[in-house]
Amino acid sequence: MRVAAPVLASVLTLVVGSVFFASLGHDPLPTLYAFFVEPLNSLNGLSEWLLKASPLILIACGLAAGFRANVWNIGAEGQFTMGAIAASGVGLFWPDPESVLLLPLMFVAGMGAGMAWAAIPAFLRARMNTNEILVTLMMTYIATLFLSYLVHGPWRDPAGFNYPQTALLPTAALFESFDPAYRLNPSIFITVVAVFVMWLFTDRSFLGYKMSVSGAAPLAARYAGFRESAAVWIGLLAGGAAAGIAGMAEAAGPLGQLSSQISPGYGFAAIIVAFIGRLNAFGIVLGGLLMSLLFLGGEGVQMTLGLPSALTRIFQGILLFFLLAADFFIFYRVRLVRPARDTHALETA
Amino acid sequence: MHPRLELRNICKRYPGVIANDDVSLSIQPGEIHAVLGENGAGKSTLMKIIYGAAQADSGEIFCDGNPIAAHNPATSRALGIEMVYQHFALFESVSVVENIALSASSAFDLPSLADKIRELSLRYGMPIDPHRQVHDLSVGERQRVEIVRCLLQAPKLLILDEPTSVLTPQAVVKLFETLRQLAAEGCSIVYISHKLDEVQELCDTATVLRNGKVTGTTRPKETTSLELARMMVGSKLPEMHVSPPSPSEKPVLEVNNLSVKARDHFGVDLKDVSFNVHGGEIVGLAGVSGNGQAELIALLSGERTHHNNDAIRICGAAAACLRADERRKLGLAFVPEERLGRGAVPSHTLWENAVLTAHRFGTVRKGLVDRRRASAFAAGIIDRFKVKANGAGSTAQSLSGGNLQKFIVGREIALEPKLLLVSQPTWGVDVGASAFIRQTIVDLSRAGAAVLVVSEELDELFEICDRLLVICQGRVSPPLVRKTTDREEVGLLMTGRTMSTDQMASGSGDVALQD
């Protein structure tokens, strides 16, 4: 049943999508084809598909580690942004722009910044029991505005015609594409490693075991003496690290610089990916590929058919809605109860 | 004259088990009918079928001679069948009358309902004030609320599931008077229990179940308890061997002047609790539930810590500030009262639940969970404690309460503790397995471990404990030596009254038990 729900949700999303296309005056079948198949018809399309899936999968792996322990990090978007800022800062201002250490340093800076941004809600939750959902979400806006300040202000490229963006990163600070014709680059291996680490952590390690006990039965975790605060810290830091690395890989990969639009919403979409993947490493890979296709297809039909760009977000929303609904109907039974006004009414089964 | 309720050839299968196999029984109006059986014998399933909460695969049910069609709890209640569950379903934060109104299926009017409650409860000798808040009530009083709720429906058949498990001896006497009065007025009563002496005292007829089958119907007043027990267990009853204790010189567990404020409005303050448990002896803590046992046990287990590190010492080491796993390193093991969600993670498999506390025993190596070893560890417990489960891969929530309890007790004993805390060791566990669990606890203590047993069952405490403590309103009595005390003395201490000492004089006691 846990596998059935995402499949059912995907099918229902397609059905509602068709109705939606029809209502916009487009023939549903060709539109769906243009949305979901055409993007993958070319080598470039496949490269873009993996390029966009990579950060989604990476972030979702980090988030799922926390979600399994009921630690709800909703602010991966902010941690992603901070990771991109810190990594770009190193790339732009490191004294030796040709150093081979530049990329590894940016990796560490991106990861560290993502973790630091996540450490604030972790500290507040562990020490003062604040709600991490609200704090992580609100800190996303701080990060976005901070980025906006940097690219409009101190870090703006003096030769950039006043565009809100930094100078291009030096070559040593970039992931070189596998093939100059396509944008896919070696940062995808980071994601491959992350998936494996995620699997090892959740399925095999004792630390992951403790986290799953904290999530499934908090009283049992307390009974066994597992620290609740440890689950909070690990859960949030794992998400922050993954998002920070993803932000670094985005800046050092396809973008090559920092701009005010660093993310098309990867941090939020990754939450959906984690849930579609049932918080499982391999499920997340599939979920990430699906979500990436939604991004690609949305861009595709926007260009070829002139459909609105909000379509991607709408599809994401519909998918999550159906997934949650399918879960609800699988795990609960709905029962209609008549109001007590009717004196003869017993409970209706 | 038709019997009030008649079951004919009821069969009910669940995947892998036959819960009820060709069960027939008949209950006359005004009869008190016991359903006796071990855990897993099919009592609960049968009650669910009678109440309509489960449907039989085959067989028929007649009420006053008419077959019951389309059976569900609603039709049962329409026919006058009511059930009092072992675990009450009351809202703590509202009053008695509001609780009863919430469960009513029809429109209500609070003042008149309150009058009815007052009148009914007085008539049956169990007065309750309908306007008191439920969280202020003792367990005995809460049970009265449940019974009165059923009585308001003017039932023809009342089902009680292990109703005395939470009552003091004195409260049991009151309950039996009420039930006899009800029966005299023509209400039939189905009394589910595993306590033979109560069944013999109260019931007219007993149907004994074993492995889903009826093994006999007898008149318990004319049958010896040994015969009844044999019908339940089948073979010979295991005998308990309790050798004299050989307490160690130094105590293993020391509690010194432990005082704690309740964490919330519903809790109980612990007041100046002091006692010792030595290696090689079993100390029992008796008391009506809700008198501070939960607070005390959480403090002892480390689920809650205390600022004064010296208030609790384990094997000589100050431990009150330590977390549960740090205390376990000192040699503590603990079986909590709640099995699902505290002693075990419901959705996890048994081998995963073995890792919960056995992670220092080879099931975790180099930071990774060793599945093979954990499975072997769990399989060993399943084998030794005869846990009915589909192997180490079945989830904790798929086991019956008694079987999960066997697993948890087995796991904690397998840790070879120096100090074992056990809360309600045999709650819901069948007679054969209870004897086994008690014997294992006794053997563990005779091998040198210190054991503290918290139980509401005096029989159990008197069977295995060397010394007894009584907790009432957050105060713990001085220890009583089992051989020189008796049930009456302990029962009185449980209600906050004393025979000789004035230790408990300030406690106002359990109001439910005084009238």
Side-chain angles (χ1 to χ4, degrees):
Chain A
M1 287 312 235
R2 287 183 62 78
V3 183
V7 173
L8 188 66
S10 305
V11 171
L12 287 170
T13 305
L14 287 185
V15 172
V16 171
S18 307
V19 174
F20 192 62
F21 288 140
S23 73
L24 287 173
H26 291 269
D27 194 358
L29 280 180
T31 315
L32 282 177
Y33 182 85
F35 203 111
F36 290 104
V37 184
E38 228 158 65
L40 306 180
N41 269 348
S42 65
L43 214 51
N44 186 50
L46 290 174
S47 154
E48 289 294 304
W49 187 34
L50 293 178
L51 185 80
K52 286 192 182 338
S54 175
L56 289 170
I57 296 169
L58 178 58
I59 300 170
C61 281
L63 292 181
F67 290 171
R68 279 174 166 244
N70 283 353
V71 175
W72 304 108
N73 177 2
I74 306 300
E77 185 80 3
Q79 293 140 22
F80 178 97
T81 305
M82 293 310 283
I85 291 172
S88 306
V90 171
L92 290 170
F93 303 114
W94 190 255
D96 176 8
E98 317 236 312
S99 168
V100 286
L101 286 176
L102 198 51
L103 209 51
L105 282 171
M106 288 167 65
F107 178 88
V108 172
M111 183 167 82
M115 288 170 83
W117 209 240
I120 297 168
F123 175 81
L124 291 173
R125 159 87 195 264
R127 277 300 176 83
M128 292 159 208
N129 207 22
T130 54
N131 183 320
E132 79 279 13
I133 299 177
L134 295 177
V135 178
T136 52
L137 183 62
M138 291 193 294
M139 287 186 61
T140 295
Y141 298 107
I142 300 175
T144 313
L145 291 170
F146 181 56
L147 170 69
S148 181
Y149 161 75
L150 286 178
V151 295
H152 283 98
W155 285 12
R156 186 168 59 190
D157 182 7
F161 307 104
N162 262 350
Y163 279 111
Q165 59 193 30
T166 65
L168 288 174
L169 290 168
T171 320
L174 294 176
F175 286 109
E176 197 184 339
S177 301
F178 291 116
D179 183 314
Y182 311 116
R183 297 204 296 169
L184 190 64
N185 65 57
S187 71
I188 193 162
F189 294 122
I190 298 175
T191 300
V192 174
V193 171
V195 170
F196 176 74
V197 170
M198 151 84 181
W199 168 80
L200 193 72
F201 178 77
T202 54
D203 264 45
R204 288 290 185 269
S205 78
F206 185 47
L207 212 53
Y209 170 84
K210 287 184 182 178
M211 301 267 296
S212 76
V213 172
S214 301
L219 285 179
R222 176 168 283 199
Y223 160 77
F226 303 157
R227 269 185 249 223
E228 196 198 344
S229 60
V232 170
W233 276 103
I234 295 170
L236 278 161
L237 291 184
I245 294 169
M248 172 269 175
E250 194 68 9
L255 300 181
Q257 68 188 141
L258 213 51
S259 70
S260 60
Q261 296 296 321
I262 184 86
S263 161
Y266 287 145
F268 293 119
I271 298 169
I272 308 178
V273 169
F275 276 101
I276 295 175
R278 316 264 75 174
L279 309 184
N280 167 294
F282 303 106
I284 284 172
V285 173
L286 297 177
L289 291 173
L290 175 65
M291 192 61 68
S292 162
L293 187 56
L294 283 181
F295 274 113
L296 276 187
E299 282 174 19
V301 295
Q302 193 184 338
M303 284 183 284
T304 55
L305 301 175
L307 284 167
S309 65
L311 211 56
T312 309
R313 295 267 170 103
I314 289 175
F315 263 93
Q316 285 177 4
I318 295 175
L319 185 60
L320 184 63
F321 172 80
F322 277 124
L323 183 72
L324 296 178
D327 272 353
F328 182 84
F329 284 108
I330 283 170
F331 293 118
Y332 298 92
R333 196 168 56 116
V334 175
R335 217 178 55 145
L336 292 175
V337 182
R338 264 187 249 159
R341 207 164 260 284
D342 179 354
T343 45
H344 295 292
L346 295 163
E347 285 171 285
T348 36
Chain B
M1 184 172 146
H2 293 296
R4 172 63 39 84
L5 184 82
E6 191 178 5
L7 304 184
R8 286 190 201 155
N9 313 102
I10 296 288
C11 292
K12 176 75 180 174
R13 275 181 199 79
Y14 287 112
V17 278
I18 302 177
N20 288 149
D21 185 1
D22 200 24
V23 174
S24 301
L25 61 83
S26 105
I27 300 162
Q28 301 301 324
E31 178 186 336
I32 305 182
H33 191 111
V35 174
L36 266 171
E38 292 196 303
N39 213 58
K43 287 175 302 186
S44 320
T45 307
L46 193 64
M47 289 314 118
K48 281 189 202 155
I49 290 172
I50 293 177
Y51 192 55
Q55 311 299 322
D57 296 334
S58 62
E60 294 164 299
I61 307 176
F62 295 88
C63 185
D64 292 324
N66 304 312
I68 306 180
H71 200 187
N72 61 45
T75 55
S76 289
R77 291 168 70 186
L79 286 167
I81 301 175
E82 291 286 336
M83 181 149 177
V84 178
Y85 287 96
Q86 188 179 359
H87 303 283
F88 312 140
L90 297 171
F91 297 100
E92 301 240 327
S93 53
V94 297
S95 71
V96 171
V97 60
E98 285 163 327
N99 257 288
I100 290 179
L102 280 168
S103 72
S105 49
S106 53
F108 51 79
D109 144 35
L110 283 183
S112 74
L113 189 60
D115 287 344
K116 261 203 243 168
I117 291 168
R118 201 175 284 116
E119 180 205 317
L120 257 181
S121 62
L122 274 174
R123 203 168 98 210
Y124 289 99
M126 40 180 195
I128 25 175
D129 176 356
H131 296 296
R132 277 182 70 190
Q133 302 288 304
V134 167
H135 63 77
D136 288 335
L137 301 183
S138 71
V139 183
E141 288 173 306
R142 288 177 197 209
Q143 186 179 50
R144 292 176 178 188
V145 177
E146 290 277 0
I147 294 175
V148 167
R149 169 149 86 186
C150 293
L151 294 185
L152 278 170
Q153 309 293 323
K156 291 194 285 187
L157 178 77
L158 186 61
I159 305 170
L160 296 128
D161 188 2
E162 308 251 350
T164 58
S165 60
V166 292
L167 301 182
T168 57
Q170 288 85 347
V172 170
V173 173
K174 295 292 294 184
L175 173 70
F176 282 8
E177 281 170 19
T178 304
L179 295 181
R180 288 200 188 95
Q181 187 187 346
L182 264 173
E185 290 171 12
C187 178
S188 305
I189 290 165
V190 179
Y191 187 88
I192 306 170
S193 183
H194 62 267
K195 291 183 185 166
L196 301 177
D197 53 338
E198 288 180 2
V199 167
Q200 285 177 310
E201 190 192 329
L202 178 73
C203 302
D204 308 310
T205 323
T207 297
V208 187
L209 291 179
R210 184 169 81 234
N211 291 334
K213 289 194 183 111
V214 175
T215 51
T217 303
T218 63
R219 302 202 155 272
K221 284 175 182 148
E222 297 155 20
T223 317
T224 68
S225 38
L226 200 63
E227 278 174 86
L228 282 174
R230 287 224 174 101
M231 287 165 78
M232 275 167 71
V233 182
S235 54
K236 278 194 303 183
L237 266 181
E239 278 175 37
M240 289 284 301
H241 301 282
V242 184
S243 54
S246 48
S248 62
E249 221 168 273
K250 285 188 180 163
V252 173
L253 172 68
E254 297 163 76
V255 180
N256 305 310
N257 307 103
L258 180 67
S259 296
V260 172
K261 281 263 167 231
R263 254 190 302 195
D264 54 46
H265 183 53
F266 305 119
V268 175
D269 297 345
L270 291 180
K271 292 160 202 135
D272 207 18
V273 173
S274 296
F275 63 89
N276 287 341
V277 184
H278 293 257
E281 71 165 349
I282 303 179
V283 174
L285 183 70
V288 179
S289 73
N291 270 290
Q293 290 99 323
E295 287 80 1
L296 180 59
I297 202 93
L299 280 161
L300 293 179
S301 71
E303 288 161 304
R304 218 181 137 183
T305 52
H306 192 264
H307 54 84
N308 177 9
N309 205 14
D310 269 334
I312 298 167
R313 302 179 80 89
I314 297 172
C315 296
C321 295
L322 299 181
R323 278 198 325 272
D325 60 329
E326 294 165 325
R327 296 191 201 191
R328 282 173 176 274
K329 278 189 200 152
L330 296 174
L332 171 83
F334 167 43
V335 179
E337 183 179 327
E338 301 87 359
R339 294 131 199 196
L340 274 180
R342 186 164 166 201
V345 182
S347 55
H348 281 188
T349 62
L350 292 183
W351 70 260
E352 286 174 301
N353 273 302
V355 177
L356 193 62
T357 60
H359 51 84
R360 262 192 291 281
F361 290 75
T363 56
V364 172
R365 289 191 303 169
K366 293 182 183 151
L368 297 184
V369 176
D370 186 331
R371 293 184 170 202
R372 281 235 317 269
R373 287 211 186 182
S375 296
F377 187 91
I381 298 167
I382 291 170
D383 190 47
R384 188 172 155 213
F385 283 79
K386 298 183 189 68
V387 179
K388 278 185 198 158
N390 250 334
S394 41
T395 58
Q397 63 199 356
S398 70
L399 268 64
S400 74
N403 274 305
L404 187 58
Q405 178 72 353
K406 286 197 262 180
F407 182 81
I408 295 171
V409 171
R411 179 185 70 197
E412 297 303 301
I413 285 177
L415 304 178
E416 295 168 357
K418 293 197 190 96
L419 168 63
L420 178 68
L421 304 178
V422 196
S423 200
Q424 315 297 348
T426 58
W427 217 22
V429 180
D430 58 59
V431 177
S434 294
F436 179 70
I437 287 177
R438 287 178 195 149
Q439 186 67 54
T440 321
I441 292 173
V442 170
D443 293 346
L444 185 80
S445 86
R446 294 314 177 243
V451 181
L452 178 69
V453 179
V454 180
S455 178
E456 279 154 19
E457 290 190 34
L458 282 185
D459 291 347
E460 177 166 86
L461 293 176
F462 271 90
E463 190 175 3
I464 61 173
C465 295
D466 305 308
R467 292 191 296 150
L468 287 168
L469 305 163
V470 181
I471 189 166
C472 178
Q473 305 250 319
R475 291 173 193 275
V476 171
S477 73
L480 305 162
V481 176
R482 189 235 322 182
K483 295 213 163 120
T484 60
T485 183
D486 56 24
R487 262 155 244 259
E488 275 62 45
E489 188 181 4
V490 172
L492 281 171
L493 283 169
M494 282 163 78
T495 65
R497 289 179 287 183
T498 48
M499 293 173 100
S500 47
T501 64
D502 56 356
Q503 175 86 13
M504 319 290 277
S506 59
S508 64
D510 183 347
V511 188
L513 305 165
Q514 290 180 341
D515 40 48

